[in-house]
Amino acid sequence: MANNYDVKDLGLAEVGRQRIEWAALEMPVLKLIRERFEKERPLEGIKLSACLHVTAETANLARTLAAGGADMVLVASNPLSTQDDVAAALVSIDEIPVYAIKGEDNETYYQHLKAALDHNPQITMDDGADLVTGMLKERRDLLTNLIGSTEETTTGVIRLKAMAKDGVLSFPVVAVNDSLTKHLFDNRYGTGQSTLDGVIRATNVLIAGKTVVVGGYGWCSKGIAMRAKGLGADVIVTEIDPVKALEAAMDGFRVMPMIEAAGTGDIFITATGDIHVLDGEDFAAMKDGAIVCNSGHFNVEINIPDLEKMAVEKRQPRAFIDQYVMSDGRRINLLGEGRLINLASAEGHPSAVMDMSFANQALASEFLLRNKGKLEAKVYALPEEVDREIAALKLAGMGIRIDTLTSEQERYLNSWEEGT
Ligand code: ADE
């Protein structure tokens, strides 16, 4: 049993253990890394604080880091994403201190972040840059001990690059999201499937025949649009970037401004990383019964304060649904309090994609240690060889073989003189 922790109920540990082991079956790349870490102990004695969604997949990462010798603490990166049984198993079976309770209030969330910082980490692992922001804004005393940080998500990476540009970042960060084996798979197939899963679990509505409006056309929103279309929806995409908008149009989606889409959509899903993508004027135009939710990292994409102001009544017809009744009687249904719907009402990305994301995380912590003292205060991507190695291991895990270059082909590719 870990000494310090704050979880819902340790009695859930056995259920959590089974859930973690079920997820492990789809995480062969992380398993190989764990086996190597057990032998080589590359993180021996390193104090590591992780602020991630506390799920069965994250538990497999935590087990890997602990197998590598890390002295780690895990806290939630979102108040609604914790799987309480998994948190219990990590504490009582794996002896890893966890601070995370599903549905925790804001105060508890920040107390938990504080516990991660009080661990005096040499490496931090973030999903949304909360630990880095906490250190830079309030706990600068921790910077002397810090070797570097890793960041999981697009939103966090955007923030960190802004910090580096402003000269505020004073240590190296590895942007795990920048690996191809992360964003091409986790963001697209993981968010695509788990977001639709979240909408369906929260509402049980039929997607076929509905008009689904997707805010954004980055890797996450692409996955959402693709999966909504696959389930039979008529999909509208909204964008601010002309290239992405063009891509969406040529992928076969209708593209228009949100205010035009607002009056036609049945289900609205935001995943842009920006604020107030759905705003007061959009709520005013929506149909009775519209469903709105978010799959971006922060709960700012839907202007909930505006919705609260415009409503004359608020009801809860089902778990994860707040129904706002407008003065003209229209009902707008907000899912999961505007927080990441795939983690609020479903279980987040499936293990098979988190396998690659968390292989990147584990190798990023090793990269920071191997290059200790040699890295600058900036945002790094993992080397291309690491990305290719993870992809190769994943293919092997899936039983897929591929061709290799013949020496003739290699020569051709390396020469500019041959064969035009
Ligand atoms: N982010 C999205 N899905 C996740 C999962 N299953 N585990 C951890 N972080 C996630």
Side-chain angles (χ1 to χ4, degrees):
M1 177 84 66
N3 289 335
N4 300 311
Y5 57 87
D6 189 16
V7 300
K8 185 169 181 209
D9 177 4
L10 289 179
L12 300 170
E14 178 50 25
V15 181
R17 184 187 65 77
Q18 291 191 35
R19 191 173 187 167
I20 296 166
E21 276 160 26
W22 175 254
L25 294 173
E26 290 264 284
M27 304 183 85
V29 180
L30 200 57
K31 178 167 179 261
L32 286 173
I33 295 173
R34 181 154 64 244
E35 287 165 0
R36 176 169 71 75
F37 273 19
E38 263 160 18
K39 285 195 214 109
E40 297 177 7
R41 306 279 289 176
L43 310 177
E44 190 69 63
I46 292 292
K47 284 181 162 287
L48 190 154
S49 295
C51 176
L52 301 168
H53 300 294
V54 180
T55 65
E57 292 72 33
T58 302
N60 277 288
L61 170 64
R63 285 182 168 182
T64 303
L65 299 169
D71 165 9
M72 72 171 295
V73 168
L74 174 64
V75 305
S77 63
N78 183 292
L80 282 189
S81 62
T82 298
Q83 295 168 359
D84 290 316
D85 49 4
V86 165
L90 283 174
V91 169
S92 74
I93 301 168
D94 299 288
E95 304 188 1
I96 295 175
V98 179
Y99 297 79
I101 300 172
K102 187 171 177 95
E104 62 196 25
D105 59 20
N106 251 9
E107 196 188 329
T108 313
Y109 181 76
Y110 284 103
Q111 270 169 14
H112 289 167
L113 277 182
K114 184 174 176 305
L117 295 176
D118 287 346
H119 187 52
N120 199 9
Q122 293 163 282
I123 292 181
T124 66
M125 213 168 254
D126 259 324
D127 186 328
D130 276 350
L131 292 178
V132 165
T133 308
M135 286 188 293
L136 287 174
K137 282 194 172 158
E138 284 150 31
R139 294 294 309 273
R140 298 194 66 84
D141 58 302
L142 298 178
L143 299 179
T144 38
N145 205 26
L146 190 74
I147 297 167
S149 300
T150 71
E151 171 56 51
E152 171 82 3
T153 199
T154 318
T155 301
V157 171
I158 291 170
R159 292 198 150 192
L160 292 162
K161 287 184 178 163
M163 287 174 188
K165 188 162 158 268
D166 285 353
V168 182
L169 194 70
S170 52
F171 46 86
V173 180
V174 180
V176 163
N177 192 67
D178 285 357
S179 294
L180 295 176
T181 48
K182 201 289 187 172
H183 66 258
L184 288 183
F185 303 93
D186 168 314
N187 300 26
R188 183 166 38 167
Y189 302 110
T191 311
Q193 177 169 322
S194 62
T195 299
L196 269 301
D197 185 16
V199 172
I200 293 167
R201 288 201 210 189
T203 62
N204 199 29
V205 295
L206 183 71
I207 305 294
K210 296 279 192 309
T211 298
V212 173
V213 180
V214 180
Y217 206 61
W219 289 110
C220 292
S221 351
K222 266 185 200 154
I224 297 169
M226 174 174 67
R227 291 299 177 239
K229 184 177 178 178
L231 285 169
D234 170 23
V235 178
I236 297 175
V237 170
T238 71
E239 248 303 339
I240 47 87
D241 178 320
V243 176
K244 289 183 181 154
L246 191 58
E247 195 183 2
M250 294 209 184
D251 283 346
F253 299 112
R254 286 196 281 154
V255 178
M256 62 184 77
M258 183 61 90
I259 189 63
E260 277 174 38
T264 20
D266 299 302
I267 302 173
F268 295 80
I269 309 174
T270 56
T272 68
D274 210 343
I275 192 167
H276 298 173
V277 178
L278 284 172
D279 220 340
E281 58 173 8
D282 305 309
F283 305 134
M286 281 179 190
K287 298 193 286 197
D288 177 32
I291 290 169
V292 299
C293 65
N294 167 53
S295 215
H297 184 78
F298 288 119
N299 62 337
V300 296
E301 303 212 13
I302 302 170
N303 189 342
I304 300 171
D306 256 14
L307 198 50
E308 296 267 352
K309 267 187 253 144
M310 291 166 77
V312 292
E313 197 189 333
K314 183 175 168 186
R315 307 175 184 144
Q316 192 166 50
R318 275 168 75 103
F320 300 110
I321 305 182
D322 288 318
Q323 186 172 78
Y324 291 87
V325 186
M326 304 285 121
S327 54
D328 57 6
R330 282 176 308 120
R331 288 157 296 184
I332 295 179
N333 299 295
L334 172 69
L335 309 187
E337 301 170 17
R339 298 190 190 276
L340 290 153
I341 193 59
N342 61 337
L343 282 143
S345 60
E347 294 172 64
H349 302 350
S351 321
V353 285
M354 295 314 295
D355 187 25
M356 289 187 279
S357 309
F358 286 162
N360 275 286
Q361 282 286 10
L363 297 182
S365 60
E366 194 180 29
F367 172 85
L368 284 170
L369 284 176
R370 282 207 178 132
N371 293 288
K372 187 178 165 188
K374 290 185 241 158
L375 300 174
E376 294 168 44
K378 64 179 202 188
V379 180
Y380 287 84
L382 277 176
E384 197 188 325
E385 314 84 77
V386 175
D387 226 354
R388 293 173 72 81
E389 176 67 11
I390 292 174
L393 292 173
K394 190 69 185 172
L395 283 169
M398 294 166 82
I400 297 172
R401 293 186 309 119
I402 60 171
D403 287 326
T404 45
L405 290 175
T406 62
S407 45
E408 181 194 27
Q409 288 171 326
E410 209 162 343
R411 211 171 34 249
Y412 179 82
L413 290 178
N414 285 320
S415 117
W416 54 271
E417 285 160 318
E418 216 181 296
T420 51

